[in-house]
Amino acid sequence: QVQLVESGGGLVQAGGSLRLSCAASGGTFSNYVMAWFRQGAGKEREFVAGVSRNDGTAYNADSVKGRFTISRDNAKNTVFLQMNSLNPEDTAVYYCAARTLWPNYLRTSPNQYDVWGQGTQVTVSS
């Protein structure tokens, strides 16, 4: 069973940048659709960005388009989320997720992912 561990969260000022990493162990990382979700205090978990298993397709939520970039390095079993132009509304716990089930095309609902990391806190101050 694949395990996911996020890192790279922290406290940044508005307008700053942060890069999150998600390291996968076990399983076959290159076979999985990977995604980032976030959940702010008192809010529902929402899709942020996803990437296909072969790096051929990436998709960002409207709220982060032009600011966030998801990428993956299958050789390192790692997925990244580069976050630029952060604002306080980006404050949330960010979760890495994998869909190991078939079909494994990119999906945007939390219920469509079966493996989750523990989350990493991102706090953006104004």
Side-chain angles (χ1 to χ4, degrees), residues 6-73:
E6 303 97 333
S7 62
L11 174 64
V12 299
Q13 294 185 0
S17 298
L18 205 61
R19 189 177 80 155
L20 306 183
S21 298
C22 174
S25 60
T28 306
F29 178 77
S30 61
N31 285 345
Y32 307 147
V33 171
M34 301 297 298
W36 288 94
F37 292 79
R38 67 185 183 186
Q39 187 167 16
K43 299 180 180 179
E44 299 294 323
R45 188 167 300 188
E46 64 173 347
F47 174 82
V48 176
V51 62
S52 67
R53 66 183 187 273
N54 60 4
D55 286 336
T57 303
Y59 179 76
N60 292 339
D62 288 343
S63 60
V64 305
K65 285 182 179 177
R67 300 189 298 122
F68 291 8
T69 302
I70 187 171
S71 61
R72 68 190 297 165
D73 186 340

Side-chain angles (χ1 to χ4, degrees), residues 49-118:
V51 62
S52 67
R53 66 183 187 273
N54 60 4
D55 286 336
T57 303
Y59 179 76
N60 292 339
D62 288 343
S63 60
V64 305
K65 285 182 179 177
R67 300 189 298 122
F68 291 8
T69 302
I70 187 171
S71 61
R72 68 190 297 165
D73 186 340
N74 286 341
K76 297 182 178 180
N77 290 352
T78 304
V79 62
F80 304 95
L81 184 67
Q82 178 66 47
M83 304 185 293
N84 299 324
S85 300
L86 287 162
N87 60 66
E89 293 184 347
D90 296 316
T91 295
V93 177
Y94 284 71
Y95 296 92
C96 178
R99 178 175 171 84
T100 68
L101 308 175
W102 299 94
N104 60 353
Y105 52 83
L106 195 152
R107 299 167 184 263
T108 60
S109 171
N111 293 331
Q112 297 169 315
Y113 290 79
D114 57 303
V115 180
W116 293 83
Q118 82 287 352

